[in-house]
């Protein structure tokens, strides 16, 4: 490296070259890194005059005067070398909060610090007594110089799915080197790869043959036998490396494979060589339904598409690239292993991983693609570490089954295309330098174009646009010049503007106390009847057993949110959601429908001294639905009762004859599915139909009429079966521009009206924007209304 960048500078560099750093944290193998702690020598230790279990000690820590320290450890003695936390130092116990040393009096005696046990400073778990050190240590030596706690910086990088080449430390280092090469216009910086030493040979060979029957799913498979392995805890340096990246150390063999995975991006698997029947490994598919017990102890039924690693008897040992088997893995008693390094096809690995619900680091890397050229090198790197850390010896040659070498991808990009897409004039030298630093092989450079071979480590690169992306990110996306002029053609926005309309309604609902929710479009098939499931879009590789279909209705996912809130005592809920439902239409075609849904439950207003609490009801919901439509200029509505699965008291609203809304109370059986014990009201607005019904012209404000409105009332005696909606519909058949508003203001029922009769008190508002209405004009319209009610509804007019 030309310079050693600070952690913050390196974070900026990584983000600049497309590896966005989401967090930067300091890692310490010992919390606090023993800062401020020193080695001390116990000079005296006498009983505390006021406490039987305490001692008064004087401790030399290399200062001009020894420290007086009250110590309660039973093993403290004169001449010991100990770890001392003097006044001002902070200790970080394994359990409990950090503690900063202060001058204190303990049972009347002054104490100027603390002699530490190992659990009090994070060096171990014992609290049996103070930590006694080598007598040869010098008093006053900083404790961190003796124990050498590891400090490092951890970068959390948010990778896009196509960047498998950066899913390893070597891959990230390669990009940083390319950045510095571009910065200095050189090619001298390269990622430093581990050196493979000469490996010790076993006296007795252990050859294990390999046969790959499905070469399409496994284009390359390499393996090596190692004997004399001693399974044990890993050394501190390896444990700390894994702990720093959040991987729990297990034993030296497993830890080495995990370390290599993150170092190189290549997954490995170690088998117990003694249980490989027939000393043969077969890579093949097994019949559907074959039983296989995985490392977690669960028996799984295999699919015919699952690629398996089998022994000589075709018995499964490992779900290839995903998860090992219970009976073939490395244990504490394993001494001979067969180490696997392979390249498996990503689509098959992903399918098996989801099929069995096993999302492992190995599966994640295989499904995104691994460097097929790296297979043997990584195997040798892991074998060298096993020999070094576990005492193993190489008992076979490397077996490398690679029947058909994969050709490198060739990509040709013209210089003009690079300039056009990037918006920047790069020199040919800079472009070649960047690509060569990333491992591309320059095949040809002509005045018109550039031809390159793509490195195996970048399987996602296949088109010229990918080449431009690599150039731009290594040069720095923030280095693209901003042009002095931006020439664009004004876009003609479609009317109505869907986003503007959506924002308007979302703003209205939010302003009236509703909260917007976003629920998963993938839901559980158990919510739906077999009839509904016939038209439902089913997931092929579902994320879990509970998420297996695309939702055919918005009701169920919304009720999940309602139930979640109710279970947390949030009982008054007004929710709205914009979302889509999905259905099959036959012949492999699918349909998406946009919706706006309202979910209401609990109280519409809280308790107050001014009024009593009132629950939400049909009319409360009806008001908001009507207002949403009115906000959009849709006012001519037709209401009709409807039977809807999952709803009761359901109604349908039409506008210009087209169904727009279904609303009602959620049925008790549906509420029981979600363990909801209070009423929930639901409105499903077909957003696509609403957008289609919008007025084609802008709605302008009109002048407030100068002339007064006139109100007339009628009391109509009707059969109880007649609804106010029927009254309103009948009134609208009287074509009069004077009739502005119809309102029901009272309902009266009495035996005096007659059997099965009800009285509606209805007001009619009339207005003319051009003049003051006369009684004669109003009476003419009222006469028409009365005749219409008598004819169509058999109404009696109460005088």
């Amino acid at each position: 490296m030309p310079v050693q960048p600070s952690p913050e500078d390196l974070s900026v560099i990584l983000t600049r070259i497309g590896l966005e750093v989401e967090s930067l944290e300091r890692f310490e193998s010992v919390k606090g890194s023993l800062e401020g702690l020193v080695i001390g020598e116990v000079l005296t230790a006498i009983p505390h005059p006021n406490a039987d279990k305490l001692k008064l000690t004087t401790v030399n820590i290399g200062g001009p005067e020894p420290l007086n320290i009250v110590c309660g450890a039973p093993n403290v003695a004169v001449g010991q070398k100990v770890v001392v936390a003097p006044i001002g130092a902070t200790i970080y116990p394994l359990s409990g909060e950090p503690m900063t040393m202060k001058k204190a009096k303990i049972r009347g005696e002054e104490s100027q610090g603390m002699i530490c046990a190992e659990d009090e400073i994070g060096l171990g778990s014992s609290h049996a007594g103070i930590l006694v050190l080598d007598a040869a240590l010098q008093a006053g030596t900083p404790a961190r110089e003796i124990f050498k706690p590891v400090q490092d910086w951890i970068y959390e990088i948010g990778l896009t799915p196509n960047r498998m080449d950066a899913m390893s430390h070597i891959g990230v280092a390669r990009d940083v080197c390319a950045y510095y090469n571009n910065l200095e216009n050189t090619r001298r910086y390269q990622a430093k790869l581990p050196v493979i030493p000469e490996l010790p040979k076993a006296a007795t060979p252990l050859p294990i043959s390999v046969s790959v029957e499905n070469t399409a799913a496994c284009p390359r498979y390499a393996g090596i036998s190692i004997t004399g392995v001693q399974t044990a805890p890993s050394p501190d340096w390896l444990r700390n490396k894994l702990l720093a990246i959040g991987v729990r150390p297990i034993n030296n063999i497993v830890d080495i494979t995990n370390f290599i995975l993150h170092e190189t991006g290549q997954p490995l698997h170690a088998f117990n060589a003694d249980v490989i029947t027939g000393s043969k490994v077969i890579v093949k598919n097994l019949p559907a339904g074959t039983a296989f017990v995985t490392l977690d102890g669960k028996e799984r039924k295999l699919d015919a598409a699952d690629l398996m690693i089998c022994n000589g008897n075709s018995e499964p040992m490992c779900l290839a690239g995903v998860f090992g088997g219970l009976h073939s893995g490395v244990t504490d008693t394993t001494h001979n292993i067969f180490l696997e390094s392979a390249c498996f096809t990503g689509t098959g690995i992903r399918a098996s991983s989801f099929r069995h619900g096993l999302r492992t680091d190995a599966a994640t890397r295989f499904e995104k693609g691994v460097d097929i050229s790296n297979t043997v090198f990584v195997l040798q790197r892991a074998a060298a570490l096993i020999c070094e850390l576990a005492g193993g010896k190489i008992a076979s040659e490397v077996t490398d089954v690679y029947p058909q070498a994969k050709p490198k991808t060739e990509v040709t990009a013209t210089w003009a295309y690079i300039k056009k897409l990037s918006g920047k004039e790069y020199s040919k030298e800079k472009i070649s330098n960047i690509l060569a630093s990333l491992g591309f092989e320059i095949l040809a450079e002509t005045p018109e174009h550039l031809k390159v071979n793509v490195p195996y480590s970048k399987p996602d690169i296949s088109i010229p646009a990918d080449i431009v992306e690599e150039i731009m990110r290594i040069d720095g996306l923030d280095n693209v010049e901003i042009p002095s002029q931006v020439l664009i053609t004004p876009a003609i926005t479609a009317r109505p503007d869907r986003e503007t309309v959506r924002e308007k309604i979302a703003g209205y609902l939010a302003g009236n106390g509703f909260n917007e929710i976003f629920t998963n479009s993938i839901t559980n098939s158990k919510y739906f009847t077999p009839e509904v499931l016939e038209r439902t879009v089913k997931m092929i590789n579902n994320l879990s057993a509970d998420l297996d279909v695309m939702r055919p209705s918005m009701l169920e996912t919304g009720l999940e949110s309602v139930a979640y809130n109710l279970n947390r005592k949030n009982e008054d809920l007004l929710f709205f959601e914009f979302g889509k439902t999905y259905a099959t239409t036959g012949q492999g075609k699918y349909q998406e429908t946009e919706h706006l849904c309202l979910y209401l439950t609990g109280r519409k207003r809280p308790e107050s001294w001014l009024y009593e609490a009132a629950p939400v009801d049909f009319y409360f919901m009806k008001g908001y639905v009507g207002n949403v439509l009115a906000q959009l200029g849709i006012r001519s509505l037709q209401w009709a009762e409807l039977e809807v699965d999952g709803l009761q008291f359901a109604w349908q609203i039409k506008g210009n004859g087209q169904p727009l809304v279904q609303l009602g109370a959620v049925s008790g059986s549906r509420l029981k599915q979600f363990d909801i014990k209070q009423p929930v009201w639901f409105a499903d607005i077909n957003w696509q139909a609403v957008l289609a019904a919008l007025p084609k012209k802008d709605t302008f404000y009109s002048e407030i009429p100068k002339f007064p409105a006139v109100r007339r009332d009628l009391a109509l005696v009707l059969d109880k079966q007649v609804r106010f909606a029927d009254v309103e519909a009948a009134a609208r058949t009287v074509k009069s521009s004077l009739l502005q508003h119809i309102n029901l203001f009272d309902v009266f029922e009495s035996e005096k009206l007659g059997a099965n009769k009800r009285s509606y008190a209805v007001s009619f508002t009339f207005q003319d924007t051009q003049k003051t209405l006369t009684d004669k004009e109003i009476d003419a319209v009222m006469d028409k209304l009365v005749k219409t009610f008598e004819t169509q509804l058999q109404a009696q007019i109460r005088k």
Side-chain angles (χ1 to χ4, degrees), residues 521-582:
S521 296
I522 308 172
T523 187
N524 197 328
S525 60
K526 72 178 183 181
Y527 296 147
F528 307 103
T529 63
E531 293 76 17
V532 173
L533 289 175
E534 288 180 3
R535 307 184 304 274
T536 299
V537 180
K538 299 173 180 61
M539 303 292 293
I540 297 176
N541 294 319
N542 48 299
L543 297 172
S544 70
D546 294 333
L547 299 171
D548 56 349
V549 295
M550 301 293 286
R551 62 183 175 197
S553 160
M554 297 281 289
L555 174 62
E556 291 72 23
T557 52
L559 288 179
E560 288 178 339
S561 291
V562 171
Y564 181 89
N565 280 271
L566 293 178
N567 290 339
R568 287 153 181 81
K569 303 302 180 182
N570 189 13
E571 297 175 343
D572 301 326
L573 304 174
L574 301 176
F575 287 162
F576 74 95
E577 178 179 17
F578 288 94
K580 293 181 178 181
T581 58
Y582 307 84

Side-chain angles (χ1 to χ4, degrees), residues 582-795:
Y582 307 84
T584 59
T585 58
Q587 299 178 346
K589 295 184 179 180
Y590 303 94
Q591 180 181 18
E592 294 183 8
T593 306
E594 294 181 82
H595 298 260
L596 165 61
C597 293
L598 309 183
Y599 311 85
L600 302 87
T601 187
R603 298 172 299 179
K604 60 186 175 184
R605 60 171 180 253
E607 222 172 8
S608 168
W609 65 271
L610 191 60
Y611 43 72
E612 294 182 358
V616 298
D617 53 22
F618 176 81
Y619 299 102
F620 185 72
M621 177 176 62
K622 172 180 176 288
Y624 278 111
V625 172
N627 287 345
V628 165
L629 298 176
Q631 287 273 323
L632 301 176
I634 304 174
R635 293 184 173 83
S636 180
L637 305 175
Q638 302 85 48
W639 290 71
E641 287 187 287
L642 189 70
E643 288 189 9
V644 180
D645 181 42
L647 297 182
Q648 54 191 13
F649 316 120
W651 287 73
Q652 182 183 70
I653 304 176
K654 291 184 177 181
N656 297 324
Q658 296 299 315
L660 300 179
V661 187
Q662 293 179 356
L663 68 162
V666 180
S667 66
S669 60
R670 189 56 58 90
L671 293 177
K672 189 175 180 180
Q673 277 186 298
F674 297 89
D675 197 26
I676 296 174
K677 298 180 175 60
Q678 65 185 52
V680 178
W681 294 88
F682 174 67
D684 183 359
I685 302 172
N686 187 321
W687 193 243
Q688 289 180 194
V690 167
L691 291 176
L694 291 180
K696 301 306 178 185
K697 297 188 295 182
D698 288 328
T699 301
F700 292 99
Y701 290 104
S702 57
E703 183 182 4
I704 297 176
K706 299 177 181 179
F707 303 98
V710 178
R711 168 174 162 167
R712 293 287 178 88
D713 297 343
L714 280 180
L716 306 174
V717 179
L718 299 158
D719 291 340
K720 287 186 177 181
Q721 291 77 16
V722 178
R723 300 162 304 188
F724 174 67
D726 300 323
V727 175
E728 190 173 23
R732 293 298 181 190
T733 62
V734 176
K735 304 296 183 180
S736 172
S737 61
L738 304 180
L739 181 59
Q740 302 296 321
H741 187 62
I742 306 169
N743 182 51
L744 174 67
F745 64 89
D746 188 35
V747 178
F748 175 70
E749 293 185 12
S750 172
E751 294 180 358
K752 295 179 181 179
L753 297 175
N756 198 35
K757 294 291 184 179
R758 167 187 295 156
S759 174
Y760 286 150
V762 184
S763 67
F764 302 88
T765 303
F766 302 91
Q767 190 171 38
D768 192 326
T769 60
Q770 303 299 320
K771 62 184 177 67
T772 300
L773 290 174
T774 64
D775 287 342
K776 183 178 180 180
E777 291 171 318
I778 297 172
D779 290 342
V781 180
M782 288 298 298
D783 289 342
K784 291 181 181 178
L785 289 171
V786 169
K787 290 179 181 178
T788 299
F789 295 146
E790 290 174 339
T791 303
Q792 295 186 16
L793 305 178
Q794 289 73 52

